[in-house]
Amino acid sequence: MHIYLNFIHNQWVAGTGSLTVTNPATGDTVGQVSAASAVQALAACDAAAAAQRGWRKLTSIERGNHLRALADALVARKSAIGQALALESGKSLEDAENEAVYAADITRYHAEWARRIEGEIIPSDSPGENLMLHREPMGVVACLIPFNYPVYTLLRKIAPALITGNTVVVRPSNHTPCSAFEIAQAVLDAGLPPGVVNILAMGHAEAEVLCTHPKVAMITLTGSVGAGQRVLDYSRVNIAKVSLELGGKTPAIVAADADLEQAASDIVRSKTTHCGQLCTAVERVYVQEAVHDALVAKLKAKLGAHAHGNRAEQPQRMGPLVSAAARQGIHAMVERALQAGAQLECGGSIPSGPGYFYPPTLLTQVRQDMEIVQEEVFGPVLCVLPYTTLDHALALANDHQFGLASVLYTADYRSVMQASNEIEAGELYINRTPADPYQGYHAGWKRSGLGGDDGKHGMLEFTQTRLVVMKF
């Protein structure tokens, strides 16, 4: 079992409490993490604020060089990071190490923005005058990290924050904090200045103290709608900027002219990757009536053949949910759907034995107004509904509180163009399932969030503007 301390100002600091980290595949304790006090959360903010004064004065290319060094350190430590992540999340070691490498990739990507953070020259109405719009850092950014992809998401947030001149205080999920402290060691190995990156495990009360610190200028969260609402409350105290990636309920529209084999394989892979614990995983399938039964048969066969198990021993299988509470909540949703008239095609039962496993589950005969269709499941449960025309499918897909990602399978370019213009979501994937390319822009509509991550626009979320009006 590993014991981890908090990381403040490039020093390892013992907290006043502790958190026990368990392996969701076995229930075994795999780590003990020191929990920061409110005083330590304040100290981390102060350290970040002091460091930011020097960090922002570095040239952007110097900050980019630091990010490249950090990316190299992440790759050098991929085994340690991957092992910690695999134990705390139930992922296979290969997937966990690949996540560390992918985190290094997005860090390098943001390092390349060093020479591309641009302002604007704007024509003035007055003669002999220039308007110059500068892009400046926010200051200290509080980064709240989810449990599902904690390594990648941590770098997805701190890399754009750092390249634009901010410093960060990171609060990892209490389910998966160990990998964050392995990343902290990479920060040390890379030689980043003290206070630029601070990582602390803490409870909700301490997180509130962190997010309401007057020196925190921005809060970025990936999490649930409820967590986003709490962050909005925190932001009101000091009018901090927020960037929120919240819930999703990805619809996949499958037209009669689609490649059903490809669609079924892609959807099942989306639904079973990390036990369906992805905000962009397909949760609703709208299939044209003419091919409804054929697609259901393919989905049922593929989901039914997808076994679950401990991925440390059987890496090809689907792993566990994050906790017993998550599993019970998902199972309760499935049972309520069945009581409301849904038909169970496969799965739908809690297996015996250790770990928080839940089988791939397929439901048909569901209605648009059912809870299982309207609320995010965040697990390996898939609902299938028929539609008649594309207008009908788009109406169903858009009849929702969430608008993060969406999917369309069709060979008809007219349908692609119509959906591109009418889908109410931040992303639309054609003949494939979501993958969040980091040069794109991952942003949700409706209750799926505010602001966004990735690409130029995600990087600019971490800046504010200053207009200089210069008479000459």
Side-chain angles (χ1 to χ4, degrees), residues 278-297:
L278 291 80
C279 55
T280 57
V282 174
E283 293 213 355
R284 304 177 278 155
V285 178
Y286 298 105
V287 56
Q288 203 154 16
E289 286 180 341
V291 293
H292 174 274
D293 292 350
L295 183 65
V296 167

Side-chain angles (χ1 to χ4, degrees), residues 71-85:
D72 291 343
L74 291 168
V75 173
R77 289 190 57 77
K78 71 174 184 178
S79 294
I81 296 169
Q83 184 175 25
L85 177 58

Side-chain angles (χ1 to χ4, degrees), residues 408-425:
L408 172 64
Y409 282 92
T410 184
D412 179 19
Y413 79 90
R414 295 176 183 84
S415 296
V416 171
M417 294 308 298
Q418 181 179 349
S420 298
N421 288 335
E422 297 182 13
I423 196 72
E424 295 175 2

